[in-house]
Amino acid sequence: VVIGVLLLVLAAIHPGWAQDDVSASPVTYLDVRGLGSRGDGVADDTEAIQAALDTGRNVLLPRGMYRVRATLHFKAHAQQLLGEGTFGGEGDWGRGTLVWGGPEGGTIVDAGKSACLLANMTINGQGKRAAVGIHLNDGTTGAGVWAQRIENVQVRECGVGVEFGPGPFPVFAHDALLRRCEILHCMTGVHNIAASQAFFQCTIAFCEEVGYSGAAEGRAGFHGCVFSSNELDVRLSQASFAAFGTWFANARRGTIHGT
């Protein structure tokens, strides 16, 4: 019930969450190609993309494959990193794609700012060489972050596709939204250390260990989501069951396990 109320409140506060796909305007987005990024799948585009993020402006990632060798960090609250293109037969070349080219165990994107948006792209961990595809930080610096969004993003071949938390504040103050995302071929699809999330029309599939893992201080709501071909679909701690809960509506899931 709590998670159901949370979903309704978040939708009321952020009405754009229920709208059509996000798109970019050249006037308001900084194109990474203007800072030297090539997107050819070979060149190291890390510095150019990070330089764009460091401006604090919204950043556009045009169609192409952008190899990164270090974690990309958001630098401003409400900042957006927006890819170009859609899911389709062209694969990674048909949209803006971040491909991990760094050492094993790295994180590709750290989106540790309030109201930030990561949308319309693919994040490829290259055979699970990346430990984490997207990390959403819940304010470990003491400021706290809220209302982070991931929309129309495919994350695949990472140790953990999307990781939330931890943070020093009561977790009911935090929220994140994943909408129309695909998390595929990871060891763990989503790992929730300490945060609250709402998932709308997402697919979590082909994960070798678990699709969604919820720790004691984490909770989530799933609406219209699909769990498919995971070793285990959902794993929740007993404390998560008792104190916070996980809520499903019109979600197709198989195995749920409490530890």
Side-chain angles (χ1 to χ4, degrees), residues 121-171:
M121 67 177 60
T122 294
I123 294 178
N124 185 341
Q126 286 289 81
K128 304 179 184 67
R129 286 181 56 84
V132 179
I134 304 171
H135 177 71
L136 286 96
N137 184 328
D138 258 25
T140 55
T141 59
V145 291
W146 297 267
Q148 298 160 312
R149 293 183 293 157
I150 306 174
E151 302 192 27
N152 305 314
V153 172
Q154 182 187 86
V155 183
R156 71 169 190 268
E157 297 184 28
C158 295
V160 177
V162 182
E163 182 178 67
F164 296 89
F169 292 89
V171 293

Side-chain angles (χ1 to χ4, degrees), residues 184-206:
L184 310 173
H185 298 286
C186 296
M187 295 299 291
T188 296
V190 177
H191 181 43
N192 184 4
I193 301 171
S196 60
Q197 310 102 37
F199 295 79
F200 289 88
Q201 299 175 318
C202 293
T203 297
I204 303 175
F206 305 107

Side-chain angles (χ1 to χ4, degrees), residues 194-229:
S196 60
Q197 310 102 37
F199 295 79
F200 289 88
Q201 299 175 318
C202 293
T203 297
I204 303 175
F206 305 107
C207 294
E208 295 182 25
E209 292 184 356
V210 61
Y212 174 86
S213 176
E217 295 182 348
R219 69 206 189 284
F222 296 87
H223 182 85
C225 296
V226 175
F227 292 82
S228 176
S229 302

